[in-house]
Amino acid sequence: SSSPDIEALSRFPQEIHFEMPRPGILWPVVRVIVALMFERSGAILLHQSSTIRQPPVTERVLILLHPMYSQGQRFRQNVQNLSSGYFGSALSAVGVRIIYPDAPSGICPQELGQCWLAEPPRDFPQLLADEEPQESIGIAYHRVLQPLLANLSTTIGLENVIVAGYSQGATMASEMLRLAPWGLAGVAVVKGNVYAKSELWSSLKAQGANAPRMLLTAAKYDRVILVDDANRTAERMREQMGHSSAEKVTVHFDAEGDHYVSPGDIMVLQQWVLDVFNLH
C-alpha cells in the first residue's frame, strides 16, 4: 500500500498549468524562453495557485515486548521469519515504526536470556492468580519502559503509541494499563495474562472512555494461558470500563494453536494495529 504522504500528494493536480499569450509577433520568442526555463531548471511550472506542500506525516510506534529468556533483536528475527518479513514492511509502509526493547538484565539468569518477570516457568499459571504485582515488574517498567514512553510522549504523543507483547512480554504489556500515563492508543496481550488485578481494574474504571484499545489472544491448546482465563479477563475489563467503552476490548481465539507464537498471531496483531491507528 502507498504511504500516507504519497497518497496525499496524489490528490494534487498533476497537470502543468501555464497560460500562454495569444500567437502574435512575439510568439517565437516566448517559445524559446519557455524551452530554456525547462531545460536549465528541470522544474515543473505550476499555476501560481497550485503550490504543492507535503502534508506532515504522523509517526506511530508499536512497542513489541519479547517473551521470557529472549531479547529484543532475537524476538524481532523470530517475528520476521514467521511472517516471511511481511510484518515489519507492511507496518513501515504506513508509517508505523516497531521498537523491540530488551528486558533489563539481572531479573533472570543472564545465560538464559532476559526476562520481564522473575518467576520460573513452572510457577507461571499459579502466580498469574496472585493479586500483588511482582517487584520485577516495577524494575522493568522504571528501567526500560518508563523512559521510552516519556520520550515518545514528548516527541509524537502517547495517542500514537501501542504497547504489545507475547507470553511474558504480554503480561508486561498489560501492566501498562495501570503503570503508564493515560493516553496510550492500545495495549495488546498476545497469549499472556495480567497481574495485580485489583489495581488494574481500578485503573481501568478510572480511565473509562479514555482507556486504550485492548487486544487479548488465546489458543485452544495453550496450557500456559487458558482460553477461559483470557475470556474472563476480557469480560472483567469490559465491566470496569463501562458498557459504552466495551467495544474497545477485542478477543481473538485460535482454534488450533498452542502457546507458541504463530504466523496467525502476527497477522491478527498486524490487523489490529492498523485498525487502532485507522490506517486502512
Side-chain angles (χ1 to χ4, degrees), residues 208-223:
N210 296 315
R213 295 267 297 274
M214 282 162 275
L215 169 68
L216 285 81
T217 77
K220 180 178 180 179
Y221 300 106
D222 191 337
R223 294 296 176 260

Side-chain angles (χ1 to χ4, degrees), residues 6-19:
I6 292 176
E7 291 177 354
L9 287 174
S10 68
R11 294 195 293 270
F12 285 91
Q14 299 299 310
E15 302 176 31
I16 298 173
H17 298 281
F18 191 83
E19 296 181 4

